[in-house]
């Protein structure tokens, strides 16, 4: 569903005056200005005014706003639920009862000028295939477009986005490349990571050198594009009949992996049931003094994300039990359970110790797994093909046409 001229529906509360537009000048008051009653496109107040107008309309009709995502609205009718997600002037909605969808569509069309787009097939560059046994999310058309844009559509494909032996650094003696082009490539790839977690680490690593890119950095980015050339149809598979809505997190970290400042990289991914719903690869803010500290900080990032997901599930009216987080470092697990501040942990930033509170309350449980079963390993370092392809498949990043 798309709202036509969405911003023009917003009512402005501030006093805003504009000059008389050309060819609409008043002959009686040529030196006067207009006072706006509604917002216009281009005003900084426009998005906020439109959101307030829309949210008030939905709340007055029995919808509830999400507690952590204020663009999410829910309405429960007996045993059925209607979910509405707002993205500026685009509205996605779905329900367990088709009659609720039809009624919502009619209500919105009566209030706003709308255009119905039908069943969700394509949205913001994402291809959505809804099938009987699940949903497949991909960006294959977007991949083909960026490959053509950067003249990589006829290159030789690669089987991994980054060599397992690569060591990127500032390369001060290297030849500089076009900064604008390099940043454009990174920006395009960062948007692609929304459906391709398999390139998350590689893209984030190359993004660290946007200030002064060299040929070695551009070669690494082109390697990612060559990998995409060989795997354009990969996407995330979401099975329809999930056994549960249990939240499961994986947390991992390298140690001093950045060659420039020796900071570690945190890698996390979170599942709801059997479906991968979020992932991240991020360089830590400070240098870790041990592998245990690096892993513990990564666990903190994972805990913050799963708690956010927990509230989302609770907003839907579904029960959430104790959340399991998988970590392959026993020392980090012990730190989360030990309430005594030892000399080895007193230097860790206090904001990371909120893990202990949630472990004590029973909200979170940390479990040890082997490195081979650590799915978050793909977000912390470049891997050999066999390991990389195995983890990629276990994340349900597949090609449904293969």
């Amino acid at each position: 569903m798309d709202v036509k001229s969405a911003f023009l529906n917003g009512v402005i509360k501030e006093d805003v005056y504009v000059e008389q537009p050309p060819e609409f000048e008043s002959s009686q008051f040529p030196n006067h200005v207009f006072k706006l009653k509604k917002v216009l496109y281009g005003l900084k107040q426009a998005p906020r005014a439109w959101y307030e107008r829309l949210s008030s309309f939905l709340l007055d009709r029995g919808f509830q706003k999400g507690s952590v995502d204020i663009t999410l609205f829910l309405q429960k009718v007996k045993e059925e639920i209607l979910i509405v997600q707002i993205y500026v002037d685009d509205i996605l909605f779905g329900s367990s009862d088709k009659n609720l969808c039809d009624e919502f569509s009619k209500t919105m069309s009566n209030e706003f000028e709308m255009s119905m787009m039908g069943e969700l097939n394509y949205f913001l560059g994402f291809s959505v295939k809804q099938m009987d046994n699940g949903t497949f999310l991909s960006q294959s058309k977007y991949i083909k477009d960026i490959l053509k844009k950067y003249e990589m559509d006829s290159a030789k494909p690669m089987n991994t986005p980054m060599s397992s032996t690569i060591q990127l650094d500032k390369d001060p003696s290297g030849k500089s490349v076009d900064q604008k082009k390099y940043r454009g490539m990174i920006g395009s790839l960062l948007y692609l990571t929304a459906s391709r977690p398999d390139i998350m680490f590689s893209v984030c690593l190359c993004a660290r050198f946007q200030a002064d890119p060299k040929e070695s950095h551009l070669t690494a980015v082109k390697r990612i594009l060559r990998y995409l050339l060989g795997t354009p149809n990969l996407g995330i598979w979401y099975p329809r009949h999930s056994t549960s809505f249990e939240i499961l997190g994986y947390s991992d970290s390298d140690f001093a992996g950045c060659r420039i400042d020796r900071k570690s990289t945190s890698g996390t991914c979170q599942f709801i049931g059997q479906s991968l719903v979020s992932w991240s690869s991020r360089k830590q803010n400070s240098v870790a003094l041990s592998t245990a500290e690096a892993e513990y900080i990564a666990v903190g990032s994972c805990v913050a994300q799963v708690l956010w997901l927990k509230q989302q599930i609770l907003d839907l009216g579904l029960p959430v039990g104790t959340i399991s987080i998988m970590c392959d470092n026993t020392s980090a697990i012990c730190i989360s359970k030990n309430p005594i501040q030892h000399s080895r942990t007193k230097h860790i930033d206090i904001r990371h110790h909120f893990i202990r509170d949630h472990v004590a309350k029973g909200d979170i449980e940390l479990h040890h797994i082997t490195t081979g079963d650590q799915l978050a390993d793909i977000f912390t370092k470049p891997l050999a093909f066999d390991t990389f392809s195995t983890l990629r498949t276990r994340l349900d990043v597949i090609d449904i046409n293969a």
Side-chain angles (χ1 to χ4, degrees), residues 1 12 22 39 72 97 148 222 242 272 296 298 319 345:
M1 178 182 291
I12 194 166
V39 294
L72 177 68
D97 184 359
K148 184 177 181 180
K222 287 184 176 180
S242 181
I272 296 180
Y296 186 68
T345 61

Side-chain angles (χ1 to χ4, degrees), residues 93-150:
F93 62 97
S95 174
S96 53
D97 184 359
K98 188 177 184 300
N99 292 328
L100 288 179
C101 288
D102 295 337
E103 184 180 342
F104 175 75
S105 175
K106 185 182 297 184
T107 301
M108 293 295 292
S109 298
N110 291 336
E111 181 70 16
F112 306 103
E113 188 177 355
M114 314 288 296
S115 59
M116 290 297 300
M117 311 301 292
E119 184 178 291
L120 180 63
N121 294 312
Y122 196 78
F123 183 71
L124 298 177
F126 292 83
S127 173
V128 182
K129 294 184 179 180
Q130 303 184 56
M131 294 171 279
D132 294 337
N133 57 342
T135 301
F136 183 68
L137 187 69
S138 66
Q139 291 175 275
S140 54
K141 182 180 182 301
Y142 180 78
I143 291 174
K144 294 176 182 178
D145 289 341
I146 62 175
L147 288 174
K148 184 177 181 180
K149 177 180 179 180
Y150 295 109

Side-chain angles (χ1 to χ4, degrees), residues 9-27:
N9 291 289
V11 179
I12 194 166
K13 296 180 180 179
E14 298 90 343
D15 290 337
V16 178
Y17 302 92
V18 296
E19 293 181 356
Q20 298 185 38
E23 300 183 7
F24 290 91
E25 296 91 346
S26 172
S27 58

